[in-house]
Amino acid sequence: MLDGRRVLLIISGGIAAYKSLELIRRLKDRGCAVRCILTKGGANFVTPLAVAALSGDKVYQETFSLTDEAEMGHIRLSREADLVVAAPATAHLLAKMAAGLADDLASTALLATDKPVLIAPAMNTMMWEHPATRANLATLEARGIRRIGPGAGELACGEVGAGRMAEPAEILAAIEVMLSDGPLKGVRAVVTSGPTHEAIDPVRYIANRSSGKQGHAIAAALAALGAEVTLISGPVALPDPAGLRVVRVESAVAMLDAVRAALPAEVVVCAAAVADWTVANRATEKRKKTAGAPPPAIELTPNPDILMTVSQAGEQRPRLVVGFAAETEALLDNARAKLTRKGCDWIVANDVSEDSGTFGGDANTVHLLTADGVDSWPRMGKAEVAARLAERIAAKLGKA
Ligand code: C5P
């Protein structure tokens, strides 16, 4: 499935570099050409010989090797690839990327490339959580650089926590998504997913039962067809789908801000179960119970309607805006009314009554409402609903 595609793999200095050897093998198995840059640090963990043998190509190590510069300059090296992957990406490499430093072949190639970049960070937990790394990461992600991992677990240094490089299979899945040549290639998509949390005080919040499974599946399905997806997710227990940009938020207001920041896009799918109200009298300190005093009153105030805001965005309006209608009664009537009221193009209506098993479950029964009428789909898995919807979106945008 990666036949003829070209990956430039940058292996920087972390113990996880051994996993990159496995990644090279898996990429080669799928017909992908892999060219490797091994940093000085990387060469402390894996040998150039192993990298060369597995990639079937020479290994690039020095910026100013005259032979390399004559045969293939760092510019060409970074351009003659469809995707640049830094795995492992050390804290130091991320810092150099964020600052735009170019003091070796790896950082020079990363600065000179015009291709999408995927990073698989690997480092000690403290380094991962350090504000410097956080800030660097935010800078890189704002520039559109994609990230996979790190996972949490026991680290090579003996500590336990986040910082373990994603497994080769996960990195491969992200690469496959990023190199996907589907009908939505080049199409920018935004998907909202999950619940929102509306804070009552610093420790309490109002939430709902949305798991984010359907929204996350839609984001993954659009990405699988080649779309450049930004998934804006409320608090969920799901892992980030591979190969797409994920922005995590808590409140409806933060979700709207994130959606605005992700626009323009050609398609927006609002699958999140956004709280209708937020707390007007949110306390900055934890509310105390006082013996004899009545329980505190929570005052609610309406949240912005993200779907409606996007649907009425004037010049910034996406070509296709898809909303969801989660109803417990009069499903189609309510959904039809929502289509008109919100001003979106399509509504995916689903029954979330208690016995439907939709909330948190793996299956869904949906009806797609468009200007042309209602299309009722049989009960199917949420991944299948997502795939079907993504295909309909591709057909609508004239790219299927
Ligand atoms: O009005 P209701 O919540 O039933 O509408 C559901 C649809 O509207 C969903 O697509 C949901 O994501 C979206 N919505 C929104 N912002 C809100 C409320 C709902 O985007 N504040």
Short mmCIF file of all heavy atoms in Angstrom, two decimals, residues 184-238:
data_model
loop_
_atom_site.label_atom_id
_atom_site.label_comp_id
_atom_site.label_asym_id
_atom_site.label_seq_id
_atom_site.Cartn_x
_atom_site.Cartn_y
_atom_site.Cartn_z
N LEU A 184 -9.91 12.35 -0.84
CA LEU A 184 -9.95 13.61 -0.10
C LEU A 184 -8.55 14.21 0.08
O LEU A 184 -8.36 15.10 0.91
CB LEU A 184 -10.62 13.40 1.26
CG LEU A 184 -12.14 13.14 1.21
CD1 LEU A 184 -12.70 12.81 2.58
CD2 LEU A 184 -12.88 14.36 0.63
N LYS A 185 -7.61 13.73 -0.72
CA LYS A 185 -6.24 14.26 -0.61
C LYS A 185 -6.24 15.78 -0.77
O LYS A 185 -6.83 16.32 -1.69
CB LYS A 185 -5.36 13.63 -1.69
CG LYS A 185 -3.89 13.90 -1.48
CD LYS A 185 -3.06 13.11 -2.49
CE LYS A 185 -1.60 13.50 -2.44
NZ LYS A 185 -0.96 13.26 -1.16
N GLY A 186 -5.61 16.45 0.19
CA GLY A 186 -5.50 17.90 0.11
C GLY A 186 -6.71 18.64 0.67
O GLY A 186 -6.71 19.87 0.75
N VAL A 187 -7.75 17.90 1.04
CA VAL A 187 -8.96 18.55 1.58
C VAL A 187 -8.79 18.75 3.09
O VAL A 187 -8.44 17.83 3.82
CB VAL A 187 -10.21 17.68 1.31
CG1 VAL A 187 -11.42 18.20 2.06
CG2 VAL A 187 -10.49 17.60 -0.18
N ARG A 188 -9.03 19.96 3.54
CA ARG A 188 -8.92 20.24 4.98
C ARG A 188 -10.25 19.96 5.66
O ARG A 188 -11.30 20.44 5.21
CB ARG A 188 -8.53 21.70 5.20
CG ARG A 188 -7.05 21.96 4.94
CD ARG A 188 -6.78 23.44 5.02
NE ARG A 188 -7.09 23.95 6.35
CZ ARG A 188 -6.18 24.45 7.17
NH1 ARG A 188 -4.92 24.49 6.81
NH2 ARG A 188 -6.50 24.90 8.36
N ALA A 189 -10.19 19.18 6.72
CA ALA A 189 -11.41 18.81 7.43
C ALA A 189 -11.24 19.07 8.92
O ALA A 189 -10.14 18.93 9.46
CB ALA A 189 -11.72 17.33 7.21
N VAL A 190 -12.32 19.50 9.55
CA VAL A 190 -12.32 19.69 11.00
C VAL A 190 -13.44 18.82 11.57
O VAL A 190 -14.55 18.82 11.04
CB VAL A 190 -12.55 21.17 11.37
CG1 VAL A 190 -12.66 21.34 12.89
CG2 VAL A 190 -11.43 22.04 10.82
N VAL A 191 -13.12 18.07 12.61
CA VAL A 191 -14.14 17.23 13.25
C VAL A 191 -14.15 17.54 14.74
O VAL A 191 -13.08 17.57 15.37
CB VAL A 191 -13.83 15.72 13.05
CG1 VAL A 191 -14.88 14.85 13.74
CG2 VAL A 191 -13.75 15.37 11.56
N THR A 192 -15.34 17.80 15.30
CA THR A 192 -15.42 17.92 16.76
C THR A 192 -15.94 16.59 17.31
O THR A 192 -16.71 15.91 16.65
CB THR A 192 -16.35 19.06 17.22
OG1 THR A 192 -17.71 18.70 16.93
CG2 THR A 192 -15.99 20.38 16.56
N SER A 193 -15.48 16.24 18.50
CA SER A 193 -15.83 14.92 19.04
C SER A 193 -15.84 14.94 20.56
O SER A 193 -15.16 15.77 21.18
CB SER A 193 -14.79 13.90 18.54
OG SER A 193 -15.08 12.61 18.99
N GLY A 194 -16.59 14.02 21.14
CA GLY A 194 -16.58 13.86 22.59
C GLY A 194 -17.50 14.84 23.31
O GLY A 194 -18.19 15.64 22.67
N PRO A 195 -17.48 14.79 24.62
CA PRO A 195 -18.32 15.70 25.41
C PRO A 195 -17.57 17.01 25.64
O PRO A 195 -16.42 17.16 25.21
CB PRO A 195 -18.45 14.95 26.73
CG PRO A 195 -17.13 14.26 26.88
CD PRO A 195 -16.66 13.91 25.48
N THR A 196 -18.20 17.95 26.29
CA THR A 196 -17.43 19.07 26.86
C THR A 196 -17.62 19.01 28.37
O THR A 196 -18.58 18.42 28.87
CB THR A 196 -17.89 20.45 26.33
OG1 THR A 196 -19.24 20.68 26.75
CG2 THR A 196 -17.77 20.53 24.83
N HIS A 197 -16.68 19.56 29.07
CA HIS A 197 -16.76 19.68 30.52
C HIS A 197 -16.92 21.16 30.87
O HIS A 197 -16.12 21.98 30.43
CB HIS A 197 -15.49 19.15 31.19
CG HIS A 197 -15.41 17.65 31.22
ND1 HIS A 197 -14.37 16.97 31.79
CD2 HIS A 197 -16.26 16.70 30.75
CE1 HIS A 197 -14.57 15.67 31.68
NE2 HIS A 197 -15.71 15.48 31.04
N GLU A 198 -17.94 21.46 31.62
CA GLU A 198 -18.19 22.85 32.01
C GLU A 198 -17.92 22.95 33.51
O GLU A 198 -18.61 22.34 34.32
CB GLU A 198 -19.63 23.24 31.67
CG GLU A 198 -20.02 22.95 30.20
CD GLU A 198 -19.20 23.74 29.17
OE1 GLU A 198 -18.77 24.86 29.49
OE2 GLU A 198 -19.00 23.22 28.06
N ALA A 199 -16.91 23.71 33.85
CA ALA A 199 -16.45 23.74 35.24
C ALA A 199 -17.44 24.43 36.16
O ALA A 199 -17.98 25.49 35.84
CB ALA A 199 -15.10 24.45 35.30
N ILE A 200 -17.66 23.80 37.32
CA ILE A 200 -18.47 24.41 38.38
C ILE A 200 -17.53 25.15 39.33
O ILE A 200 -17.80 26.26 39.77
CB ILE A 200 -19.25 23.31 39.14
CG1 ILE A 200 -20.24 22.64 38.21
CG2 ILE A 200 -19.94 23.89 40.39
CD1 ILE A 200 -20.87 21.37 38.78
N ASP A 201 -16.42 24.50 39.62
CA ASP A 201 -15.34 25.09 40.43
C ASP A 201 -14.07 24.35 40.01
O ASP A 201 -14.13 23.54 39.08
CB ASP A 201 -15.69 25.02 41.94
CG ASP A 201 -15.74 23.60 42.48
OD1 ASP A 201 -15.17 22.69 41.85
OD2 ASP A 201 -16.36 23.39 43.55
N PRO A 202 -12.93 24.57 40.64
CA PRO A 202 -11.71 23.93 40.13
C PRO A 202 -11.74 22.40 40.15
O PRO A 202 -10.94 21.76 39.47
CB PRO A 202 -10.62 24.47 41.05
CG PRO A 202 -11.15 25.75 41.58
CD PRO A 202 -12.64 25.57 41.68
N VAL A 203 -12.64 21.79 40.92
CA VAL A 203 -12.63 20.32 40.99
C VAL A 203 -13.89 19.68 40.41
O VAL A 203 -13.90 18.47 40.20
CB VAL A 203 -12.42 19.82 42.44
CG1 VAL A 203 -11.07 20.23 42.97
CG2 VAL A 203 -13.54 20.27 43.36
N ARG A 204 -14.93 20.44 40.17
CA ARG A 204 -16.18 19.81 39.70
C ARG A 204 -16.57 20.36 38.33
O ARG A 204 -16.26 21.49 37.99
CB ARG A 204 -17.30 20.10 40.70
CG ARG A 204 -16.99 19.65 42.11
CD ARG A 204 -18.17 19.95 43.00
NE ARG A 204 -17.94 19.56 44.38
CZ ARG A 204 -17.48 20.39 45.33
NH1 ARG A 204 -17.19 21.64 45.03
NH2 ARG A 204 -17.32 19.95 46.55
N TYR A 205 -17.29 19.52 37.60
CA TYR A 205 -17.75 19.98 36.29
C TYR A 205 -19.04 19.29 35.89
O TYR A 205 -19.41 18.26 36.45
CB TYR A 205 -16.67 19.74 35.23
CG TYR A 205 -16.20 18.31 35.12
CD1 TYR A 205 -16.92 17.35 34.39
CD2 TYR A 205 -15.02 17.89 35.74
CE1 TYR A 205 -16.49 16.04 34.29
CE2 TYR A 205 -14.58 16.58 35.65
CZ TYR A 205 -15.31 15.66 34.93
OH TYR A 205 -14.88 14.37 34.85
N ILE A 206 -19.70 19.87 34.88
CA ILE A 206 -20.88 19.23 34.29
C ILE A 206 -20.42 18.55 33.00
O ILE A 206 -19.70 19.16 32.21
CB ILE A 206 -21.96 20.28 33.96
CG1 ILE A 206 -22.40 20.98 35.26
CG2 ILE A 206 -23.14 19.64 33.24
CD1 ILE A 206 -23.37 22.13 35.03
N ALA A 207 -20.83 17.30 32.83
CA ALA A 207 -20.38 16.56 31.64
C ALA A 207 -21.56 15.83 31.01
O ALA A 207 -22.70 16.01 31.44
CB ALA A 207 -19.30 15.56 32.04
N ASN A 208 -21.32 15.04 30.00
CA ASN A 208 -22.38 14.18 29.44
C ASN A 208 -21.76 12.84 29.04
O ASN A 208 -20.55 12.64 29.18
CB ASN A 208 -23.08 14.87 28.27
CG ASN A 208 -22.13 15.14 27.12
OD1 ASN A 208 -21.59 14.23 26.51
ND2 ASN A 208 -21.92 16.43 26.84
N ARG A 209 -22.59 11.93 28.57
CA ARG A 209 -22.14 10.54 28.38
C ARG A 209 -21.43 10.27 27.05
O ARG A 209 -21.14 9.13 26.72
CB ARG A 209 -23.33 9.60 28.47
CG ARG A 209 -23.93 9.53 29.83
CD ARG A 209 -25.07 8.51 29.84
NE ARG A 209 -25.85 8.62 31.05
CZ ARG A 209 -25.46 8.13 32.22
NH1 ARG A 209 -24.32 7.47 32.32
NH2 ARG A 209 -26.20 8.27 33.28
N SER A 210 -21.17 11.29 26.26
CA SER A 210 -20.52 11.04 24.97
C SER A 210 -19.14 10.43 25.17
O SER A 210 -18.35 10.90 26.00
CB SER A 210 -20.38 12.37 24.21
OG SER A 210 -19.52 12.20 23.11
N SER A 211 -18.84 9.37 24.40
CA SER A 211 -17.53 8.71 24.52
C SER A 211 -16.54 9.26 23.50
O SER A 211 -15.33 9.07 23.62
CB SER A 211 -17.68 7.21 24.26
OG SER A 211 -18.11 6.99 22.91
N GLY A 212 -17.05 9.90 22.45
CA GLY A 212 -16.18 10.38 21.37
C GLY A 212 -15.91 9.31 20.32
O GLY A 212 -15.23 9.58 19.33
N LYS A 213 -16.47 8.11 20.52
CA LYS A 213 -16.13 7.01 19.58
C LYS A 213 -16.55 7.34 18.15
O LYS A 213 -15.79 7.11 17.20
CB LYS A 213 -16.81 5.72 20.02
CG LYS A 213 -16.11 5.04 21.17
CD LYS A 213 -16.80 3.72 21.51
CE LYS A 213 -16.16 3.09 22.73
NZ LYS A 213 -16.91 1.91 23.19
N GLN A 214 -17.78 7.87 17.99
CA GLN A 214 -18.25 8.15 16.63
C GLN A 214 -17.45 9.29 15.98
O GLN A 214 -17.02 9.19 14.84
CB GLN A 214 -19.74 8.47 16.63
CG GLN A 214 -20.33 8.60 15.24
CD GLN A 214 -20.25 7.31 14.44
OE1 GLN A 214 -21.02 6.40 14.61
NE2 GLN A 214 -19.25 7.22 13.56
N GLY A 215 -17.23 10.35 16.73
CA GLY A 215 -16.49 11.49 16.17
C GLY A 215 -15.05 11.11 15.83
O GLY A 215 -14.54 11.47 14.75
N HIS A 216 -14.39 10.39 16.73
CA HIS A 216 -13.02 9.97 16.47
C HIS A 216 -12.96 9.06 15.23
O HIS A 216 -12.04 9.16 14.42
CB HIS A 216 -12.43 9.25 17.68
CG HIS A 216 -11.88 10.19 18.73
ND1 HIS A 216 -12.60 11.24 19.24
CD2 HIS A 216 -10.66 10.23 19.33
CE1 HIS A 216 -11.85 11.90 20.13
NE2 HIS A 216 -10.67 11.30 20.19
N ALA A 217 -13.97 8.18 15.10
CA ALA A 217 -14.00 7.27 13.94
C ALA A 217 -14.17 8.07 12.65
O ALA A 217 -13.56 7.75 11.63
CB ALA A 217 -15.12 6.24 14.10
N ILE A 218 -14.96 9.13 12.71
CA ILE A 218 -15.17 9.95 11.50
C ILE A 218 -13.86 10.66 11.13
O ILE A 218 -13.48 10.70 9.96
CB ILE A 218 -16.31 10.96 11.73
CG1 ILE A 218 -17.64 10.20 11.81
CG2 ILE A 218 -16.35 12.01 10.61
CD1 ILE A 218 -18.80 11.02 12.33
N ALA A 219 -13.18 11.19 12.13
CA ALA A 219 -11.90 11.86 11.86
C ALA A 219 -10.93 10.88 11.21
O ALA A 219 -10.27 11.20 10.21
CB ALA A 219 -11.32 12.41 13.16
N ALA A 220 -10.86 9.66 11.76
CA ALA A 220 -9.94 8.65 11.21
C ALA A 220 -10.36 8.26 9.79
O ALA A 220 -9.51 8.08 8.91
CB ALA A 220 -9.90 7.43 12.12
N ALA A 221 -11.67 8.14 9.56
CA ALA A 221 -12.14 7.73 8.23
C ALA A 221 -11.85 8.80 7.18
O ALA A 221 -11.48 8.49 6.04
CB ALA A 221 -13.65 7.44 8.28
N LEU A 222 -12.01 10.07 7.55
CA LEU A 222 -11.69 11.15 6.61
C LEU A 222 -10.19 11.15 6.30
O LEU A 222 -9.77 11.32 5.15
CB LEU A 222 -12.12 12.50 7.19
CG LEU A 222 -13.63 12.75 7.28
CD1 LEU A 222 -13.93 13.99 8.11
CD2 LEU A 222 -14.23 12.91 5.88
N ALA A 223 -9.39 10.94 7.35
CA ALA A 223 -7.93 10.90 7.16
C ALA A 223 -7.55 9.72 6.27
O ALA A 223 -6.65 9.83 5.43
CB ALA A 223 -7.22 10.83 8.50
N ALA A 224 -8.24 8.61 6.44
CA ALA A 224 -7.93 7.42 5.63
C ALA A 224 -8.21 7.68 4.16
O ALA A 224 -7.62 7.05 3.28
CB ALA A 224 -8.72 6.21 6.12
N LEU A 225 -9.11 8.61 3.85
CA LEU A 225 -9.37 8.98 2.45
C LEU A 225 -8.46 10.12 2.00
O LEU A 225 -8.65 10.69 0.94
CB LEU A 225 -10.84 9.36 2.26
CG LEU A 225 -11.87 8.24 2.44
CD1 LEU A 225 -13.26 8.72 2.01
CD2 LEU A 225 -11.50 7.00 1.63
N GLY A 226 -7.52 10.48 2.86
CA GLY A 226 -6.51 11.45 2.44
C GLY A 226 -6.70 12.86 2.96
O GLY A 226 -5.88 13.73 2.69
N ALA A 227 -7.80 13.11 3.70
CA ALA A 227 -8.05 14.48 4.17
C ALA A 227 -7.01 14.89 5.22
O ALA A 227 -6.47 14.04 5.93
CB ALA A 227 -9.45 14.58 4.76
N GLU A 228 -6.77 16.19 5.29
CA GLU A 228 -5.92 16.74 6.35
C GLU A 228 -6.85 17.11 7.49
O GLU A 228 -7.52 18.13 7.44
CB GLU A 228 -5.19 17.99 5.87
CG GLU A 228 -4.08 17.69 4.89
CD GLU A 228 -3.60 18.96 4.22
OE1 GLU A 228 -3.71 20.05 4.79
OE2 GLU A 228 -3.12 18.83 3.07
N VAL A 229 -6.89 16.25 8.48
CA VAL A 229 -7.92 16.38 9.51
C VAL A 229 -7.39 17.03 10.79
O VAL A 229 -6.32 16.66 11.27
CB VAL A 229 -8.49 14.99 9.88
CG1 VAL A 229 -9.61 15.12 10.91
CG2 VAL A 229 -9.00 14.27 8.64
N THR A 230 -8.15 17.99 11.31
CA THR A 230 -7.92 18.45 12.68
C THR A 230 -9.07 17.93 13.51
O THR A 230 -10.23 18.24 13.23
CB THR A 230 -7.88 19.99 12.76
OG1 THR A 230 -6.86 20.47 11.87
CG2 THR A 230 -7.55 20.46 14.17
N LEU A 231 -8.75 17.11 14.49
CA LEU A 231 -9.77 16.56 15.38
C LEU A 231 -9.77 17.40 16.65
O LEU A 231 -8.74 17.50 17.32
CB LEU A 231 -9.45 15.10 15.70
CG LEU A 231 -10.28 14.44 16.81
CD1 LEU A 231 -11.76 14.37 16.47
CD2 LEU A 231 -9.74 13.03 17.10
N ILE A 232 -10.90 18.00 16.96
CA ILE A 232 -10.99 18.81 18.17
C ILE A 232 -11.84 18.03 19.16
O ILE A 232 -13.03 17.82 18.94
CB ILE A 232 -11.56 20.20 17.85
CG1 ILE A 232 -10.57 20.88 16.88
CG2 ILE A 232 -11.73 21.01 19.12
CD1 ILE A 232 -11.08 22.08 16.19
N SER A 233 -11.17 17.56 20.19
CA SER A 233 -11.82 16.60 21.08
C SER A 233 -12.00 17.14 22.48
O SER A 233 -11.08 17.71 23.05
CB SER A 233 -10.95 15.32 21.13
OG SER A 233 -11.46 14.44 22.09
N GLY A 234 -13.18 16.92 23.01
CA GLY A 234 -13.43 17.15 24.43
C GLY A 234 -12.74 16.03 25.21
O GLY A 234 -12.08 15.18 24.61
N PRO A 235 -12.89 16.02 26.54
CA PRO A 235 -12.20 15.00 27.34
C PRO A 235 -12.76 13.60 27.08
O PRO A 235 -13.93 13.34 27.32
CB PRO A 235 -12.51 15.43 28.79
CG PRO A 235 -12.98 16.85 28.68
CD PRO A 235 -13.64 16.99 27.36
N VAL A 236 -11.93 12.74 26.51
CA VAL A 236 -12.35 11.35 26.23
C VAL A 236 -11.25 10.40 26.69
O VAL A 236 -10.12 10.82 26.92
CB VAL A 236 -12.58 11.12 24.71
CG1 VAL A 236 -13.78 11.91 24.21
CG2 VAL A 236 -11.34 11.46 23.89
N ALA A 237 -11.62 9.13 26.79
CA ALA A 237 -10.64 8.13 27.22
C ALA A 237 -10.02 7.43 26.02
O ALA A 237 -9.38 6.40 26.16
CB ALA A 237 -11.33 7.12 28.13
N LEU A 238 -10.22 7.97 24.83
CA LEU A 238 -9.73 7.30 23.62
C LEU A 238 -8.32 7.77 23.27
O LEU A 238 -7.98 8.92 23.54
CB LEU A 238 -10.64 7.65 22.44
CG LEU A 238 -12.11 7.29 22.57
CD1 LEU A 238 -12.90 7.87 21.41
CD2 LEU A 238 -12.25 5.77 22.60
#
